[in-house]
Amino acid sequence: MSKQEPIKVPRFEEAAGFYTTAKQSGLMRKIRAANSKVEVAVRKVLWHFGYRYRLHYKKVPGKPDIVFVRWKIAIFIDGDFWHGYGWEENKDKIKKNRGFWVPKIERNMQRDGEVDAALQAMGWKVLRIWEHEVKKEFGATIVRIMRFIEYHTGEPDAFRL
């Protein structure tokens, strides 16, 4: 397996030709890398059903959002914009600072693939959930997660509704 060259992401600074308003900068600063509303909502339901997990487990690549160490299951809840949902259709919609955002998101997508491959090579099962799936089909997404856990644990009582 040949390792792909990482996509180079330029530094976001005025010297490199990138600029943003103070208002936009403030909005971007509020975006969380962990403990987003959708992530917390999923965790609360899983906890309610008796699933005990680790958060942002640093001992495995990628610091998954939810980890079941005993079963070697890693769950990521990916933001649609940051992880490139529908990227081929949506990348043309980026108008400002394209020279930064296009490589940034493409590198995030590349890194997601690298993390998935590294986890799988270590014997982990990986599930990635899109943010919009949680928002639009919350119940179905929870069932999908629980079925994934049940399937990969081999424990029929792991899935209780």
Side-chain angles (χ1 to χ4, degrees):
M1 182 173 114
S2 64
K3 190 171 182 181
Q4 191 178 8
E5 187 69 29
I7 296 169
K8 300 277 189 238
V9 180
R11 290 188 55 83
F12 192 93
E13 55 191 11
E14 283 189 58
F18 303 118
Y19 178 76
T20 189
T21 64
K23 180 181 175 184
Q24 187 64 39
S25 182
L27 291 172
M28 295 300 283
R29 212 173 287 119
K30 290 181 181 180
I31 296 173
R32 303 169 143 234
N35 301 319
S36 66
K37 287 181 182 179
V38 291
E39 182 185 326
V40 170
V42 168
R43 290 187 341 219
K44 282 184 177 183
V45 172
L46 291 175
W47 192 268
H48 173 77
F49 281 106
Y51 292 96
R52 299 301 180 250
Y53 47 79
R54 300 267 182 211
L55 298 178
H56 315 293
Y57 196 59
K58 294 175 184 161
K59 294 181 181 179
V60 296
K63 292 193 293 184
D65 298 316
I66 301 169
V67 172
F68 298 94
V69 178
R70 174 178 155 202
W71 298 318
K72 286 189 160 186
I73 294 175
I75 300 173
F76 294 89
I77 301 171
D78 293 336
D80 296 350
F81 175 75
W82 301 103
H83 294 269
Y85 176 77
W87 184 238
E88 289 308 313
E89 301 87 45
N90 291 328
K91 77 176 173 182
D92 294 333
K93 294 178 184 175
I94 298 174
K95 301 298 180 204
K96 290 185 178 181
N97 299 316
R98 279 184 62 83
F100 173 78
W101 287 112
V102 170
K104 167 71 174 161
I105 294 167
E106 288 177 348
R107 176 62 188 138
N108 288 351
M109 293 166 59
Q110 185 182 47
R111 188 180 308 111
D112 290 344
E114 292 167 359
V115 166
D116 290 356
L119 285 168
Q120 289 166 352
M122 296 167 62
W124 286 73
K125 291 70 136 189
V126 179
L127 177 63
R128 287 194 176 267
I129 303 287
W130 289 108
E131 175 185 30
H132 75 271
E133 292 176 315
V134 176
K135 289 180 177 177
K136 291 183 181 170
E137 301 168 353
F138 186 76
T141 303
I142 295 298
V143 168
R144 182 174 154 216
I145 293 169
M146 290 177 159
R147 287 203 171 124
F148 183 85
I149 294 167
E150 178 188 54
Y151 179 79
H152 289 289
T153 61
E155 297 181 18
D157 63 341
F159 177 67
R160 293 179 236 117
L161 276 181

